Amino acid sequence: MSDRSAPYTTVRYVSPLLEPGAGVTSHSVMPLTTDEQVVALRRVVRERAIELKLSLVDQTKLVTAASELSRNTIKYGGGGEVHVVCLADGFRHGVRLAFADDGPGIADLGLALTDGYTTGGGLGLGLGLSGAKRLVDEFEIDTEHGEGTVVVIVKWKR
């Protein structure tokens, strides 16, 4: 993982959600294609959360959401990457994660955001998108059927 002053992506799906916006204090990109990379991401997310002095509960929520979304990126998107961004917005500080893939996209986003919705399997934690959404402060999705998906989450220090 390396810090970059400008956004970098190997994912072809173009989404405005990959632009982190103002207040970026660090930005790094990690690949998501293997279980080992999911483990590495969990470690990095926890480190960033500790640096920001998030509560233990908020650390756990962020790491859990990151784990679920990274596994979704691999399982449903065929692999991709995650942009790990530390933010400073006035007095607020937070972590922004943007999960990107070139997979098939989400055909029915409304259904995918429904509690309890699953396409089967069992690789993830079973939270689904709606569960991950409940664990964070901000949640956005940009998806295009047949093109790819970007899911962005943000957790702010309280």
Side-chain angles (χ1 to χ4, degrees):
M1 182 182 85
S2 63
D3 281 335
R4 302 179 190 282
S5 59
Y8 167 79
T9 183
T10 58
V11 172
R12 294 180 312 276
Y13 180 58
V14 177
S15 171
L17 294 184
L18 289 177
E19 296 295 327
V24 174
T25 61
S26 72
H27 182 181
S28 57
V29 180
M30 298 176 66
L32 287 175
T33 58
T34 68
D35 288 340
E36 291 78 15
Q37 291 167 336
V38 173
V39 172
L41 173 64
R42 288 174 57 92
R43 186 186 77 251
V44 167
V45 169
R46 183 160 309 276
E47 289 170 358
R48 296 301 173 270
I50 289 169
E51 289 169 6
L52 288 173
K53 297 182 174 62
L54 293 182
S55 71
L56 183 57
V57 170
D58 282 345
Q59 290 175 38
T60 302
K61 287 178 177 181
L62 182 60
V63 170
T64 301
S67 183
E68 179 72 9
L69 295 172
S70 62
R71 291 187 186 282
N72 284 356
T73 299
I74 293 169
K75 182 176 181 180
Y76 303 113
E81 64 194 20
V82 60
H83 295 240
V84 181
V85 179
C86 292
L87 300 171
D89 179 15
F91 292 106
R92 294 192 316 170
H93 297 275
V95 178
R96 180 184 195 270
L97 304 173
F99 299 85
D101 67 62
D102 289 324
I106 301 171
D108 187 338
L109 187 56
L111 181 61
L113 287 168
T114 303
D115 282 345
Y117 176 76
T118 181
T119 58
L123 180 63
L125 301 172
L127 294 174
L129 292 174
S130 64
K133 181 178 181 179
R134 282 192 299 276
L135 294 173
V136 296
D137 299 319
E138 297 177 21
F139 182 93
E140 291 182 85
I141 296 179
D142 180 16
T143 187
E144 186 69 37
H145 187 66
E147 298 292 326
T149 301
V150 175
V151 178
V152 174
I153 60 173
V154 178
K155 191 70 172 167
W156 294 102
K157 182 179 184 327
R158 300 191 188 285

